[in-house]
Amino acid sequence: MNGNINGATILANGDAGTGSQPLFQIVEALEVVYSSQSTNESRTRASIFLEQAKTSSDAPYHGFTLASDRSQSPVVRHFALSLLEYAIKHKWTEYSIEQSNTLREWVLRLAQDVSGQDPLYVRNKIAQLWVELAKRSWASEWMDMDELLVRLWSGPIVQKELVLLVLETLSEDVFNREDPTAALRGSQLNKACVDIFTPASVLTENFPTRDTEVHVRFGDEGWLARLRNLLEWCLGNDVGANEEVRTCAIKTLAALKAAMQWIMHKATITVHCTEQFCKGLAAPSVPVQMAAVEALHALYSRTYFQDDEFLALVCPMYSAESVNLLKRLYEWSVVDATNIEDEKYLLSKKFSEMTSNLGNFIEQKPLVIPAGSDLSGFLSLMLSIMNHQSMTVSLPVLNTWVKLLRSDATGPSNAFSPLVGPLLDICSRRLMKYESLPEDSNDPSLVFLLEDIDTMPERHSFVGVYRRYCVQVVETIVKRRPFDAMCHILAQTNHSLKTLYDGQPPFQIEAYTKNSIPTLRVDAHFTVVEAALKGYVKWIDSHGSRPQQDELERSTMETNLESWCEHLLDMNFQDPLIKKRILQLAVTLSTTALDKRAPFMLKVLEHILMIRPTENPAYPAYSEAIKELQQDCTHELHRLAMKMPDHLLTVYDQLQTKIKDILAGGGLDDRQLLAFYMFLFIITHRATTIDPQLRESRLQSFVAPISLAWQDAELTRSVSSFQGFCDLLGLGKVQEYLVSRQVHKIDDWSQYQLDTEGRAIQTELNKRFQLLPLRPTKSFIGVSNDKLVKGSATYNSACALWQDVIPIILPNLLQFLRYRFSHCHAFHNPLNWTGLPEELRPIVTRVLTDRFWQAGISTGSKDDFYTRVGNTRTTMEGFASSIRGTVRMVRETCYSILFCMSRLDIHFYGFVELPGPLAQALFADAHALSSHQMSVLLNVARFLVDDCPANIRAHFLPPILASLFTQVDSKVSSEWEQLMRKAQATSDDDGLTQEMKEESILRQLTYSAVLMVAGLLDPQRETKPHAVEDNALALRADRTTPIPKSERPQSMRDFILSSDTILEPLILFCTHALRLRDQRCCSVIIRVFRSIVSKFSENRPDIREFICNEVLKASITSLHEDYFVELQRDLAQLIATIFILYSPHSNTPRQILLSLPGIEERKFDQVAKQLFTVNSGRQQRALILDLLQGLRGQSIAEQGQIAKPPQNPKSTAKRTVQQQQLMTDDQEAARNRGGTPDFGGLVDMFH
């Protein structure tokens, strides 16, 4: 490009001439693209022509000519500006100084000629072009930018708005965004921005020796002062009624907001910005108020203020005048749940965040705040915001209350005393499980919740976070003020229980629902009491400055608590779930605050034993609640035994007699019988005052039957073949029944009622499982080491108990593993169902596919789902559920036994022959498992790996981890490939729902796998201490080969990286994970690779070459895809790291990068040289992103739309950044569901 300033002539070597014909063609092509009358074919040809026009050497001239021609339509002028943008972004380095100057002059002329008649998007585009030029040449060859801006500033208001947008965008790109172009000139642009924004007097005072050789500023005032003065003018000139002034004020505040995030506090103080922000809060315009709140939020989001800066910028907001202003604004912004005004509601949210930041400063610098400040008024304001009916408005301030109450500097303050009661009341109300309320409820908090958050998983996540903060508030208040707070909470709970059914229908079994309002209220209040008990226990642990008084107060409090709980136990509620919560709370009280009052604990125990609820089959919902109560009774018994074994030991004989009477009364199922025996077992095992010989004899009496069961010859014979396995479980008749009933011809299994034979097979499946020794083994070995510290006396007792039993169990268990696990996994493989005809083989997958309810995806509620499942028990669908349920119980019970055995350290891991067969049994047929079942297996494997003693890792882990990652890689990769194919083919709603379920589970599996990788290779992971030392490896008689013990055990990370057997499948899985369409997983894997690539820079050329080739290619390919646009900075950093570390040893990175289309060797060599000289990660990323500019994917906003599409008013548009962050834990499944787009020639990028 070559031409004069006017652009009248230009020398071009392109494919188009300089006459009017190319301009006409561009205009004509745009008309075709945007005309509704155009055919798809003609529109495609026109689009291709327009894209080619951008690359023409004449493009800048054409762009300037069309953009400056006001007779052209706005669409044409906007596209013309995009021609200039392409030249600046992609060809700037190719231009000579004269050409660059000409291009800059064209942009400046366009800026000078802006008019109020120009559409906003055209003006915004011109401002963006200015910023793109500034990022490339300002403060180097372009020195008078500030002067040009000041001259524009003196023009009409539309030119001021252009300058405002330039300043805002420049601030954002240089300081606040990860902009690769700005990052390349980071320090230069940073200094230049500081120079032109900051008043000269502030620079001189604070940096008297600064370098002034580079003159970029014009005048002494500085842009911060100019912006402040313009804002003052706007606010004083009818900002509420004059639209032009109002728009100017909003844009001025936006520019100030961008500057507040980086400007020197001294400059903000000097020009008195905060005073104008506060005036903006009082403006008669919601958008202006919102902009003012955002500017203040930006200022108070900064974490560091010196004391004098804190006094000048923060403390004025605590004055009575400011607090009164904030109160008025907040009260005015409050909206009603029945009539939500979007603008005011969004203002409330942002105002809450800003107020939260101000509240956090009270905790950070309480001693600096002047004595005359109205802190009580400010705290009252925060209480009002916390009480807002919307939890999204309340949450930021709730978080601040947690910080203030926890802090030793502010927590004990008497200023909080009047607020304790209201705080506890709010927390008590908000601890209700709102996600369990029906969506048609008129509860205001639920209405707001549904307005703010669309999907059930997001609501669960959000209210879970909110409840945790409420619990922390209650806990901390009780710890600080135990007696007043506890009395208030107990009185509050009593009142609620007495008025529980006020305004609600009385309890009726016929209309029973587990999520009734009374049940949810009880749960909320009892959660408050439980949180209070935690705080009370912490107070007990920390008190002692006044021993006698503290002990007297404690005794009084415990007496009151005991009396209150006894009254609670005497209350008669018919709802089983309310009874369940009463039991849970009573046990919690007896094992925490009242743990020294044995008589009370025995009363609670008696109450549990006396509960004999009766099911009513006529009312399934009520019967399910009764089952929950029964299960909880046994759980609470075990909890008492765990926490209070010595007290219970004193009445062991009476308990044994009572339990015998209960068992003799009948009516108990196998689970309940086992639970009572476990209760006695736990007391005996955990008690510290029992005679050791008596303990041993009692424990042996529980374990001996288990040992005998595992030695049963029939069991050994049955697990030796697949058919024996099926016969053992009663599955042998299943295939015959399925064939005889022609199930492959039944469309709806849920409508096909089972006959007598089918129901008999169902019953037999359950009975056969109960006869196996699996559940007793899992239960007793589980409670033997549950929550025990290795090396403790109780743990050693468990080891002594099981050390002679495990050698008896393990040989058969290994057979069980070799065949049972293999068969459980093989059972999912249709090829192993040899009894089925070929036409029935496809139904195996259907039989063994679990039904599950997925929040936010499944239709109906969870209760509806369980009701549907219950209603199909006697159908063919229920028959299939019994089959897969039996196999699942066997598989997962065996998993649990393995885990429990692994907790016994050397007594499990010390068997030399274990690793190979175990790996074969666990993973040989794992590919046939579903994604959910694979996740369970992965979790078990993680525990087995974590618990392995460091000195046994080299022997035990290689076959386990190698098989694991080989199978996980195969499973995950194939499932993702299949999912992508389905995404393109699925069209009906049912198919889409099923696909969404599968995708959600697959994402969970993938994330579990990558987290396991990250955990294994975590540099901070320490070698776990093990209780067994030198004598731990002393071989038993049945161990024939000693396992070597290193003197200094390696960390897990070093062990993995040094083991080829493990490392190769692990790195292969990680490489494939870089390409999986899951941003969360890809992000984790990028961090993993960045942490390990340095380990192979000097050695292991094979691994290094694999990373240079496959990992680098995968990273570049993902960088190329639009889906991964949010991970581009991370991918660019990984590419830069590989290139910097490996280029000195391998030419592969250079060859791969040069093989990419559009990468010129000259530019590549420049970038390569810079990569080795810069130390900043931001600049390294910027260099890679700049090099691959033409290849990297684009976000929707970058893809050239004139205006962004409207957002869903119920989604992100109404959420602030802070609120959005609370709701992003599990949103990957809701991402773009289209198939993989055609990226044109991507497969040819590598040669």
Side-chain angles (χ1 to χ4, degrees):
M1 181 184 71
N2 191 1
N4 62 13
I5 292 179
N6 295 323
T9 62
I10 186 168
L11 299 178
N13 296 316
D15 55 351
T18 59
S20 60
Q21 183 66 19
L23 302 181
F24 173 77
Q25 290 175 336
I26 291 174
V27 174
E28 188 180 52
L30 286 167
E31 290 176 354
V32 172
V33 168
Y34 288 100
S35 172
S36 60
Q37 305 300 319
S38 302
T39 64
N40 288 336
E41 183 180 357
S42 60
R43 186 176 288 113
T44 300
R45 288 200 306 268
S47 298
I48 293 173
F49 170 80
L50 292 173
E51 287 301 311
Q52 291 175 345
K54 292 181 181 180
T55 62
S56 169
S57 58
D58 294 317
Y61 171 71
H62 294 156
F64 172 69
T65 303
L66 291 173
S68 57
D69 183 359
R70 294 189 178 278
S71 66
Q72 298 292 345
S73 70
V75 169
V76 171
R77 295 180 64 202
H78 185 272
F79 178 78
L81 294 173
S82 71
L83 296 178
L84 290 167
E85 181 183 35
Y86 186 90
I88 296 171
K89 285 187 172 182
H90 300 282
K91 294 190 173 184
W92 183 260
T93 57
E94 301 175 12
Y95 295 147
S96 66
I97 295 177
E98 181 183 5
Q99 291 172 325
S100 300
N101 290 339
T102 300
L103 186 53
R104 183 163 53 243
E105 289 298 333
W106 286 344
V107 173
L108 297 181
R109 174 168 293 189
L110 292 171
Q112 292 165 0
D113 292 341
V114 292
S115 161
Q117 284 71 47
D118 294 331
L120 180 61
Y121 59 82
V122 170
R123 285 180 274 156
N124 289 349
K125 193 72 169 180
I126 293 172
Q128 184 62 44
L129 293 180
W130 185 301
V131 174
E132 292 299 331
L133 286 171
K135 290 187 295 188
R136 288 163 174 81
S137 61
W138 178 44
S140 56
E141 60 266 23
W142 184 17
M143 303 302 296
D144 64 342
M145 187 190 80
D146 195 37
E147 180 180 355
L148 296 171
L149 288 173
V150 173
R151 288 177 180 173
L152 283 175
W153 189 254
S154 62
I157 197 167
V158 68
Q159 290 189 337
K160 283 185 171 64
E161 291 178 358
L162 181 76
V163 174
L164 289 172
L165 185 56
V166 168
L167 295 172
E168 178 191 356
T169 309
L170 191 61
S171 284
E172 293 288 355
D173 286 356
V174 173
F175 292 99
N176 306 330
R177 297 192 186 114
E178 184 79 16
D179 185 88
T181 305
L184 291 174
R185 303 179 60 231
S187 59
Q188 197 173 25
L189 291 176
N190 290 353
K191 183 179 183 300
C193 285
V194 171
D195 279 350
I196 68 170
F197 270 84
T198 310
S201 58
V202 176
L203 290 174
T204 302
E205 179 183 352
N206 290 273
F207 305 104
T209 60
R210 70 188 183 95
D211 181 14
T212 57
E213 293 182 2
V214 180
H215 301 284
V216 295
R217 70 178 295 134
F218 181 77
D220 294 335
E221 191 176 15
W223 280 108
L224 191 65
R226 295 187 188 102
L227 295 176
R228 181 265 182 204
N229 293 337
L230 179 60
L231 177 61
E232 183 179 22
W233 177 85
C234 292
L235 295 175
N237 283 272
D238 199 13
V239 72
N242 190 316
E243 183 177 355
E244 186 178 46
V245 173
R246 181 167 61 253
T247 301
C248 184
I250 294 169
K251 292 185 176 181
T252 305
L253 283 164
L256 285 165
K257 170 196 169 185
M260 286 300 103
Q261 299 176 70
W262 59 267
I263 196 75
M264 292 171 56
H265 290 316
K266 295 285 196 284
T268 307
I269 296 168
T270 300
V271 301
H272 306 289
C273 285
T274 53
E275 289 87 338
Q276 297 306 315
F277 294 160
C278 289
K279 289 181 181 179
L281 297 179
S285 166
V286 176
V288 174
Q289 291 172 327
M290 183 68 180
V293 169
E294 289 184 330
L296 286 169
H297 180 263
L299 173 62
Y300 297 132
S301 293
R302 296 176 66 174
T303 55
Y304 181 73
F305 288 81
Q306 294 182 2
D307 286 354
D308 59 333
E309 297 168 346
F310 184 81
L311 280 169
L313 293 176
V314 180
C315 291
M317 301 301 292
Y318 303 136
S319 68
E321 181 181 2
S322 296
V323 170
N324 186 44
L325 171 64
L326 295 176
K327 282 184 177 179
R328 293 200 311 270
L329 177 59
Y330 169 69
E331 291 168 357
W332 179 83
S333 72
V334 174
V335 297
D336 189 87
T338 60
N339 182 28
I340 300 175
E341 300 176 50
D342 288 344
E343 276 192 336
K344 292 175 69 174
Y345 185 39
L346 188 56
L347 174 62
S348 292
K349 294 178 183 179
K350 199 66 183 184
F351 182 86
S352 173
E353 292 184 5
M354 186 270 291
T355 307
S356 170
N357 289 344
L358 283 172
N360 293 337
F361 284 123
I362 298 176
E363 184 263 334
Q364 294 172 18
K365 291 180 177 286
L367 300 179
V368 182
I369 301 174
S373 301
D374 186 15
L375 282 184
S376 61
F378 185 80
L379 294 175
S380 176
L381 169 64
M382 289 211 307
L383 183 67
S384 298
I385 298 173
M386 181 178 165
N387 197 35
H388 195 289
Q389 291 177 331
S390 166
M391 287 183 283
T392 54
V393 174
S394 173
L395 180 60
V397 170
L398 173 60
N399 183 26
T400 298
W401 276 113
V402 173
K403 295 177 182 178
L404 290 174
L405 293 168
R406 278 183 170 179
S407 171
D408 291 333
T410 57
S413 172
N414 292 328
F416 295 137
S417 297
L419 307 176
V420 167
L423 280 170
L424 292 173
D425 291 341
I426 294 171
C427 290
S428 179
R429 292 198 308 273
R430 292 289 168 77
L431 279 168
M432 179 176 284
K433 294 180 177 178
Y434 287 96
E435 70 274 22
S436 297
L437 291 173
E439 291 194 3
D440 59 356
S441 170
N442 58 3
D443 184 282
S445 292
L446 180 63
V447 172
F448 278 115
L449 186 64
L450 297 176
E451 171 71 15
D452 290 329
I453 307 175
D454 293 329
T455 67
M456 186 63 74
E458 291 179 320
R459 291 178 208 145
H460 276 274
S461 176
F462 179 83
V463 297
V465 170
Y466 195 97
R467 279 199 292 267
R468 283 195 294 274
Y469 283 138
C470 286
V471 166
Q472 291 170 12
V473 167
V474 174
E475 182 181 324
T476 308
I477 287 176
V478 173
K479 181 184 176 183
R480 298 286 185 193
R481 299 165 175 80
F483 306 106
D484 294 340
M486 188 66 82
C487 290
H488 181 94
I489 290 169
L490 296 181
Q492 184 187 59
T493 305
N494 278 339
H495 179 265
S496 177
L497 292 175
K498 290 176 182 177
T499 60
L500 194 58
Y501 285 93
D502 288 1
Q504 299 294 323
F507 179 83
Q508 293 179 318
I509 295 180
E510 298 82 359
Y512 182 78
T513 173
K514 64 185 298 183
N515 289 324
S516 66
I517 296 298
T519 304
L520 294 176
R521 286 176 180 169
V522 168
D523 179 74
H525 282 286
F526 282 12
T527 302
V528 173
V529 176
E530 289 165 346
L533 290 175
K534 291 180 181 178
Y536 177 74
V537 170
K538 289 182 178 179
W539 172 80
I540 292 174
D541 293 339
S542 62
H543 84 298
S545 57
R546 304 170 302 169
Q548 293 182 346
Q549 183 176 349
D550 286 343
E551 192 58 36
L552 177 62
E553 291 175 340
R554 172 181 172 173
S555 178
T556 303
M557 174 60 71
E558 290 180 356
T559 299
N560 293 338
L561 284 171
E562 183 176 352
S563 175
W564 179 85
C565 192
E566 288 176 345
H567 174 68
L568 181 65
L569 292 173
D570 291 338
M571 299 181 77
N572 183 25
F573 292 100
Q574 294 177 279
D575 192 320
L577 296 187
I578 293 179
K579 290 182 178 180
K580 170 186 168 182
R581 286 299 277 127
I582 291 174
L583 283 184
Q584 292 172 339
L585 181 58
V587 171
T588 299
L589 263 169
S590 65
T591 57
T592 55
L594 304 179
D595 60 340
K596 292 182 172 55
R597 301 200 171 201
F600 173 73
M601 182 272 297
L602 294 175
K603 290 179 184 177
V604 174
L605 174 62
E606 182 181 11
H607 185 83
I608 297 173
L609 293 175
M610 293 299 293
I611 292 179
R612 306 291 292 164
T614 304
E615 296 182 36
N616 191 331
Y619 305 105
Y622 179 77
S623 294
E624 287 298 323
I626 289 293
K627 290 179 181 178
E628 279 194 45
L629 175 60
Q630 292 171 339
Q631 292 171 2
D632 191 68
C633 285
T634 57
H635 175 74
E636 299 306 324
L637 283 177
H638 295 170
R639 195 149 68 106
L640 282 175
M642 290 280 191
K643 297 286 187 179
M644 316 281 282
D646 289 330
H647 291 314
L648 292 171
L649 185 65
T650 61
V651 292
Y652 184 89
D653 293 337
Q654 296 95 306
L655 286 174
Q656 196 172 30
T657 301
K658 177 67 175 177
I659 288 174
K660 286 181 180 179
D661 293 340
I662 293 174
L663 300 183
L668 301 178
D669 59 25
D670 292 339
R671 286 179 179 269
Q672 292 170 309
L673 290 172
L674 182 61
F676 279 116
Y677 288 127
M678 288 170 62
F679 174 60
L680 297 175
F681 177 90
I682 295 169
I683 296 172
T684 303
H685 180 233
R686 300 294 172 113
T688 60
T689 57
I690 190 173
D691 177 75
Q693 292 183 345
L694 178 60
R695 184 210 308 273
E696 183 179 354
S697 64
R698 283 183 180 174
L699 294 179
Q700 287 292 345
S701 68
F702 290 108
V703 173
I706 297 175
S707 177
L708 289 174
W710 279 100
Q711 298 177 72
D712 182 67
E714 181 62 23
L715 175 66
T716 303
R717 185 194 63 78
S718 296
V719 299
S720 62
S721 67
F722 184 74
Q723 187 59 48
F725 166 78
C726 292
D727 293 341
L728 182 67
L729 294 178
L731 294 170
K733 301 176 182 179
V734 166
Q735 296 187 46
E736 297 176 8
Y737 185 79
L738 294 175
V739 172
S740 65
R741 298 310 185 269
Q742 297 286 293
V743 292
H744 63 296
K745 296 181 180 180
I746 303 174
D747 293 328
D748 188 353
W749 288 4
S750 64
Q751 298 300 315
Y752 184 93
Q753 291 294 321
L754 291 176
D755 52 21
T756 304
E757 183 182 355
R759 292 194 295 272
I761 294 175
Q762 273 187 315
T763 303
E764 185 179 0
L765 289 176
N766 183 56
K767 288 182 178 179
R768 290 291 187 97
F769 178 77
Q770 301 298 338
L771 294 175
L772 298 176
L774 292 174
R775 182 175 288 161
T777 306
K778 165 196 164 184
S779 300
F780 281 103
I781 198 171
V783 298
S784 296
N785 55 42
D786 183 37
K787 298 178 182 178
L788 292 181
V789 178
K790 290 187 177 182
S792 65
T794 311
Y795 176 81
N796 292 337
S797 171
C799 290
L801 173 65
W802 291 100
Q803 67 178 355
D804 293 329
V805 180
I806 287 180
I808 297 173
I809 296 177
L810 198 52
N812 268 334
L813 184 62
L814 288 175
Q815 279 293 102
F816 216 91
L817 291 171
R818 288 191 185 105
Y819 297 106
R820 173 65 63 82
F821 267 116
S822 180
H823 292 327
C824 280
H825 291 178
F827 203 74
H828 291 260
N829 191 341
L831 297 178
N832 293 325
W833 289 54
T834 55
L836 287 181
E838 191 66 31
E839 64 270 17
L840 266 72
R841 291 284 175 88
I843 64 113
V844 173
T845 301
R846 183 176 176 183
V847 168
L848 298 178
T849 299
D850 292 321
R851 290 180 291 178
F852 58 89
W853 181 83
Q854 188 77 11
I857 298 176
S858 300
T859 56
S861 66
K862 185 188 295 186
D863 291 338
D864 294 337
F865 169 75
Y866 284 122
T867 299
R868 289 196 301 271
V869 171
N871 292 338
T872 61
R873 282 177 180 161
T874 58
T875 68
M876 187 61 72
E877 183 60 52
F879 186 75
S881 180
S882 298
I883 298 169
R884 58 178 170 262
T886 299
V887 178
R888 182 176 60 248
M889 284 190 295
V890 171
R891 182 179 62 246
E892 295 184 3
T893 305
C894 288
Y895 288 164
S896 297
I897 294 173
L898 272 178
F899 165 70
C900 294
M901 284 187 169
S902 73
R903 300 292 297 163
L904 296 176
D905 205 85
I906 195 67
H907 303 290
F908 172 75
Y909 291 100
F911 287 89
V912 179
E913 67 274 18
L914 180 60
L918 182 58
Q920 175 72 14
L922 288 176
F923 303 115
D925 282 305
H927 63 277
L929 297 175
S930 69
S931 294
H932 171 69
Q933 294 159 353
M934 191 72 161
S935 295
V936 177
L937 175 59
L938 191 65
N939 197 41
V940 173
R942 180 173 61 84
F943 284 119
L944 292 176
V945 172
D946 287 346
D947 286 334
C948 181
N951 44 23
I952 302 180
R953 284 175 182 162
H955 174 74
F956 186 85
L957 293 186
I960 300 292
L961 287 176
S963 300
L964 167 67
F965 285 115
T966 299
Q967 288 291 343
V968 166
D969 185 25
S970 173
K971 178 69 177 179
V972 168
S973 298
S974 62
E975 289 291 322
W976 273 104
E977 183 179 350
Q978 185 178 358
L979 184 67
M980 291 300 102
R981 287 198 303 269
K982 286 184 178 179
Q984 298 178 11
T986 302
S987 57
D988 60 286
D989 290 342
D990 291 339
L992 182 60
T993 299
Q994 182 61 31
E995 181 197 331
M996 291 172 67
K997 290 180 181 180
E998 293 172 359
E999 179 178 345
S1000 178
I1001 297 299
L1002 179 56
R1003 289 186 186 278
Q1004 293 174 26
L1005 169 62
T1006 309
Y1007 191 56
S1008 297
V1010 299
L1011 283 185
M1012 183 174 183
V1013 172
L1016 291 173
L1017 298 177
D1018 182 3
Q1020 305 301 318
R1021 175 176 177 145
E1022 296 179 356
T1023 302
K1024 291 187 176 182
H1026 292 272
V1028 186
E1029 296 298 337
D1030 292 339
N1031 60 345
L1033 292 174
L1035 298 179
R1036 300 176 57 85
D1038 53 346
R1039 298 193 184 105
T1040 58
T1041 305
I1043 302 174
K1045 174 176 179 287
S1046 59
E1047 296 180 3
R1048 298 181 60 186
Q1050 289 177 299
S1051 68
M1052 180 67 79
R1053 171 186 169 88
D1054 290 340
F1055 168 71
I1056 298 292
L1057 295 178
S1058 64
S1059 172
D1060 288 355
T1061 304
I1062 302 172
L1063 186 60
E1064 291 176 6
L1066 184 149
I1067 285 188
L1068 191 61
F1069 165 69
C1070 291
T1071 305
H1072 293 157
L1074 284 173
R1075 297 290 301 120
L1076 300 179
R1077 296 176 70 83
D1078 188 299
Q1079 291 192 12
R1080 183 174 59 166
C1081 296
C1082 185
S1083 177
V1084 173
I1085 290 300
I1086 291 171
R1087 292 197 296 271
V1088 168
F1089 270 122
R1090 287 183 57 194
S1091 75
I1092 67 173
V1093 290
S1094 61
K1095 294 291 184 179
F1096 311 110
S1097 59
E1098 300 294 338
N1099 51 31
R1100 296 305 307 273
D1102 53 336
I1103 300 294
R1104 184 172 63 236
E1105 197 62 23
F1106 179 86
I1107 294 175
C1108 286
N1109 197 329
E1110 300 301 327
V1111 177
L1112 186 58
K1113 285 182 178 179
S1115 301
I1116 295 171
T1117 307
S1118 291
L1119 186 76
H1120 178 72
E1121 293 189 17
D1122 295 345
Y1123 177 86
F1124 296 99
V1125 67
E1126 294 180 9
L1127 294 178
Q1128 284 184 359
R1129 62 190 298 272
D1130 299 322
L1131 288 164
Q1133 188 66 65
L1134 176 58
I1135 293 169
T1137 302
I1138 293 173
F1139 183 83
I1140 293 169
L1141 291 176
Y1142 290 176
S1143 287
H1145 309 281
S1146 172
N1147 200 40
T1148 303
R1150 174 185 174 85
Q1151 292 174 347
I1152 288 177
L1153 289 168
L1154 281 175
S1155 72
L1156 299 174
I1159 302 297
E1160 298 178 355
E1161 187 170 2
R1162 178 183 59 82
K1163 182 177 181 179
F1164 173 81
D1165 290 338
Q1166 292 176 347
V1167 170
K1169 183 177 180 180
Q1170 289 177 283
L1171 281 172
F1172 284 105
T1173 57
V1174 299
N1175 295 320
S1176 165
R1178 185 185 183 195
Q1179 289 186 311
Q1180 291 172 355
R1181 293 193 297 270
L1183 287 166
I1184 292 296
L1185 291 173
D1186 183 62
L1187 176 67
L1188 304 179
Q1189 174 69 30
L1191 297 174
R1192 63 186 181 91
Q1194 291 183 316
S1195 64
I1196 292 176
E1198 292 177 315
Q1199 290 176 2
Q1201 286 88 345
I1202 289 177
K1204 293 183 182 179
Q1207 293 176 310
N1208 180 355
K1210 291 182 65 177
S1211 60
T1212 310
K1214 291 191 176 183
R1215 302 176 194 158
T1216 63
V1217 173
Q1218 182 174 338
Q1219 293 157 355
Q1220 183 70 15
Q1221 289 173 346
L1222 295 172
M1223 299 183 284
T1224 54
D1225 291 341
D1226 193 20
Q1227 297 187 35
E1228 284 291 334
R1231 285 198 154 279
N1232 176 15
R1233 304 196 49 76
T1236 304
D1238 181 7
F1239 292 107
L1242 183 59
V1243 294
D1244 299 323
M1245 289 174 63
F1246 306 110
H1247 303 288

